[in-house]
Amino acid sequence: SQPAVSKHIKELEAHFSVRLFEREGNKIFLTEEGEILYNSALKIFDIYNLFGNLADFVNYLFFILPT
């Protein structure tokens, strides 16, 4: 719900001591800090997925391939 999203945004802004969004009327934009956090989060998700794929590959090598 919208109030829950707003609460989480405020908590993130308080945690990092920065404004993550600029509000202009009914529009919202990422600040420079918000873009940095967003891009960093995307990189973390990419790394997470890479490790998941690596774990699947290791599992394949050790448990599926005959030795």
Side-chain angles (χ1 to χ4, degrees):
S1 68
Q2 184 59 40
V5 171
S6 295
K7 179 183 175 195
H8 286 292
I9 290 170
K10 287 180 183 180
E11 289 173 354
L12 279 171
E13 290 178 332
H15 178 76
F16 291 108
S17 300
V18 296
R19 288 189 57 101
L20 299 173
F21 294 93
E22 285 293 327
R23 294 153 184 92
E24 294 179 11
N26 62 351
K27 295 183 181 181
I28 188 167
F29 304 94
L30 282 172
T31 62
E32 184 177 347
E33 293 86 355
E35 289 205 24
I36 290 169
L37 180 63
Y38 174 75
N39 289 325
S40 297
L42 289 178
K43 289 177 185 176
I44 290 168
F45 285 126
D46 287 343
I47 292 168
Y48 175 81
N49 288 329
L50 177 65
F51 277 110
N53 292 337
L54 181 60
D56 290 342
F57 180 68
V58 169
N59 188 35
Y60 173 77
L61 289 177
F62 286 101
F63 299 109
I64 296 175
L65 288 178
T67 55

